[in-house]
Amino acid sequence: MSAPKPPKAVPGKDRREEMEKEKLNMLLIKHLNTIHETFQVLDHSPPSTLKKGSWDDVIKLGEHIYKQATTVGMLWTGDGPNAKALEETLETYSNLLQGFLLLSHGCMIGAGTTLSTCIHSAVKQVIDSSFMLLKESIASYGNSSKAHKLSIPQIVGTVWEACSALKKIPGTNVTAIGRAMTQIAVSIKDVHREMKELKPTSEEAANPDNEVSKPDHDSDNSSEGDLGSDLSPEEMKIAELATEVVSCTLTAIKEVIRSISGLLKNPQTQNESNETVNSLEKLLTICQSMGLQVDEIGACLYPPQEVSAIRTASEKMVSLVGEMQAELEKIKGSSDDFSHSSKGLISSLEQLESALGCSSDDELVSEMENLAVDA
């Protein structure tokens, strides 16, 4: 029995599909360019004279985009969409994205840097994932490849995630900045946990003449790379004092967060004046700087300890505590608890710097001895 002959190509149909796809591509480029131009408005703050939009409305429009993405995905069930259905879907989807961008921009009225960044990032995720879906839909038209049909549902899922994430965006500057500070506190807590794991050198290593058998460094059970296991008594003392500094820093930042949270309960700050927002943004910047200094101190504790770098970080933190106190007073957020925690932080920094002063003398003697040997 002879093999069945393949179906003959239909030149007229192929040519028609090519023309339809070319038209769809031109429409896609037109819509994407328009949306891209509109997206640029998010880089600029809207006039304060306009009425601020509601983020709840943005979420609702995001739900419509969610449904429209689902509609696009359903077009690819069976034999796939015809050109007319794809064109109409493209038009509807693009109009939704345009309205979504303009509504999101209206929600940025009065938004500080932190809240604006949150909004911008969330909106960009929706736009980027939608662009991917529209591009893949047009590219898949007239293509019988299974890879294209499988990719569409995956991209639809990405759009769903982006639209659902809109519900997690903070609605106010206070909430946005409070969340950012909480993330800093979490990072500092991680550093604190790592610092508590630092250990002094073992008795065998401290007394090389000890007859106790020493571990074979070439064995598979070697602890090579265990950076926190060989601190000298002097280094361990500095590590313990530094750990206390980080603990006090964490307490102070928690008190700042508690003070900011209190603003949400104060009806006088519901309008979030520019002065209040500016002070909150400065407080966040200060907390970020303190987090960086904590990271620096933590990294410098491993032997050989970098005493000068630890001292520099400590001095910067003393200055930052004063700046933090000043900004809290501007928004009337300072409290007895914060005052107590800030004094505890200053005290721990002073003790650390005192110990570092002794260490710096030892360090200088060591350097002089090395110079003498080299000479």
Side-chain angles (χ1 to χ4, degrees), residues 275-291:
E275 183 178 353
T276 298
V277 174
N278 288 338
S279 289
L280 290 174
E281 293 288 359
K282 288 179 181 177
L283 273 170
L284 176 58
T285 300
I286 293 168
C287 289
Q288 289 171 336
S289 297
M290 295 192 80

Side-chain angles (χ1 to χ4, degrees), residues 148-192:
H148 279 288
K149 290 187 177 182
L150 291 174
S151 65
I152 296 292
Q154 293 176 349
I155 302 176
V156 169
T158 304
V159 177
W160 288 349
E161 291 176 3
C163 292
S164 297
L166 295 173
K167 299 175 182 178
K168 300 178 182 179
I169 300 303
T172 66
N173 287 293
V174 173
T175 304
I177 293 171
R179 288 185 186 177
M181 286 187 178
T182 300
Q183 289 301 312
I184 296 171
V186 170
S187 297
I188 292 177
K189 188 175 181 180
D190 289 340
V191 175
H192 183 248

Side-chain angles (χ1 to χ4, degrees), residues 222-241:
S222 171
S223 59
E224 182 178 356
D226 190 1
L227 296 177
S229 63
D230 54 355
L231 272 68
S232 68
E234 293 78 11
E235 290 173 330
M236 194 62 206
K237 178 182 178 182
I238 291 176
E240 290 172 347
L241 291 172

Side-chain angles (χ1 to χ4, degrees), residues 131-368:
F131 273 17
M132 288 173 56
L133 179 57
L134 295 178
K135 289 178 180 178
E136 186 67 12
S137 296
I138 303 303
S140 301
Y141 179 72
N143 192 323
S144 59
S145 170
K146 290 184 178 180
H148 279 288
K149 290 187 177 182
L150 291 174
S151 65
I152 296 292
Q154 293 176 349
I155 302 176
V156 169
T158 304
V159 177
W160 288 349
E161 291 176 3
C163 292
S164 297
L166 295 173
K167 299 175 182 178
K168 300 178 182 179
I169 300 303
T172 66
N173 287 293
V174 173
T175 304
I177 293 171
R179 288 185 186 177
M181 286 187 178
T182 300
Q183 289 301 312
I184 296 171
V186 170
S187 297
I188 292 177
K189 188 175 181 180
D190 289 340
V191 175
H192 183 248
R193 184 179 62 252
E194 292 176 5
M195 292 171 67
K196 289 172 67 177
E197 294 174 356
L198 291 169
K199 299 176 182 178
T201 184
S202 64
E203 184 178 349
E204 292 81 3
N207 300 282
D209 295 332
N210 196 314
E211 294 181 358
V212 177
S213 60
K214 300 176 180 59
D216 182 1
H217 294 289
D218 296 327
S219 67
D220 293 336
N221 295 326
S222 171
S223 59
E224 182 178 356
D226 190 1
L227 296 177
S229 63
D230 54 355
L231 272 68
S232 68
E234 293 78 11
E235 290 173 330
M236 194 62 206
K237 178 182 178 182
I238 291 176
E240 290 172 347
L241 291 172
T243 301
E244 180 62 21
V245 166
V246 174
S247 177
C248 291
T249 302
L250 183 59
T251 300
I253 290 181
K254 285 181 177 179
E255 289 302 330
V256 173
I257 294 173
R258 188 173 287 110
S259 296
I260 291 176
S261 298
L263 294 177
L264 294 172
K265 303 175 183 179
N266 187 346
Q268 294 181 352
T269 61
Q270 286 183 353
N271 293 328
E272 296 188 342
S273 66
N274 290 334
E275 183 178 353
T276 298
V277 174
N278 288 338
S279 289
L280 290 174
E281 293 288 359
K282 288 179 181 177
L283 273 170
L284 176 58
T285 300
I286 293 168
C287 289
Q288 289 171 336
S289 297
M290 295 192 80
L292 291 175
Q293 303 313 314
V294 165
D295 289 342
E296 178 71 10
I297 291 175
C300 292
L301 290 178
Y302 295 101
Q305 289 181 343
E306 301 176 44
V307 173
S308 60
I310 297 175
R311 186 185 300 108
T312 299
S314 177
E315 291 170 353
K316 289 181 180 179
M317 290 184 71
V318 172
S319 176
L320 290 170
V321 173
E323 295 176 21
M324 186 181 291
Q325 178 72 47
E327 293 303 328
L328 274 174
E329 289 176 352
K330 288 181 182 179
I331 60 174
K332 299 179 181 179
S334 185
S335 64
D336 292 340
D337 289 336
F338 172 77
S339 179
H340 178 74
S341 64
S342 63
K343 288 179 181 177
L345 176 54
I346 292 294
S347 176
S348 65
L349 287 166
E350 290 175 347
Q351 292 180 49
L352 175 60
E353 290 182 11
S354 176
L356 291 173
C358 297
S359 297
S360 64
D361 293 339
D362 296 339
E363 188 180 59
L364 180 59
V365 171
S366 178
E367 291 177 355
M368 293 296 291

Side-chain angles (χ1 to χ4, degrees), residues 19-168:
M19 293 176 64
E20 289 172 342
K21 189 164 187 175
E22 184 177 350
K23 180 183 177 182
L24 288 170
N25 272 315
M26 291 178 65
L27 286 173
L28 175 65
I29 293 172
K30 176 185 174 182
H31 286 304
L32 294 189
N33 285 340
T34 302
I35 294 169
H36 180 73
E37 289 176 3
T38 306
F39 183 77
Q40 304 307 308
V41 302
L42 293 180
D43 294 330
H44 308 283
S45 299
S48 57
T49 53
L50 298 178
K51 182 180 179 180
K52 183 176 180 179
S54 168
W55 190 251
D56 288 337
D57 292 336
V58 175
I59 293 175
K60 290 177 181 178
L61 194 49
E63 292 173 351
H64 286 292
I65 295 174
Y66 182 109
K67 294 177 182 178
Q68 189 62 30
T70 304
T71 299
V72 173
M74 292 177 65
L75 289 175
W76 295 97
T77 57
D79 296 330
N82 58 52
K84 184 65 175 177
L86 200 52
E87 181 179 338
E88 291 176 351
T89 301
L90 177 61
E91 181 78 21
T92 302
Y93 205 139
S94 299
N95 289 337
L96 281 173
L97 292 178
Q98 283 282 84
F100 173 73
L101 285 171
L102 295 174
L103 195 58
S104 298
H105 187 235
C107 291
M108 296 176 72
I109 295 174
T113 302
T114 304
L115 180 56
S116 295
T117 300
C118 291
I119 293 174
H120 191 284
S121 178
V123 171
K124 189 175 186 299
Q125 289 295 323
V126 174
I127 298 299
D128 287 350
S129 57
S130 294
F131 273 17
M132 288 173 56
L133 179 57
L134 295 178
K135 289 178 180 178
E136 186 67 12
S137 296
I138 303 303
S140 301
Y141 179 72
N143 192 323
S144 59
S145 170
K146 290 184 178 180
H148 279 288
K149 290 187 177 182
L150 291 174
S151 65
I152 296 292
Q154 293 176 349
I155 302 176
V156 169
T158 304
V159 177
W160 288 349
E161 291 176 3
C163 292
S164 297
L166 295 173
K167 299 175 182 178
K168 300 178 182 179

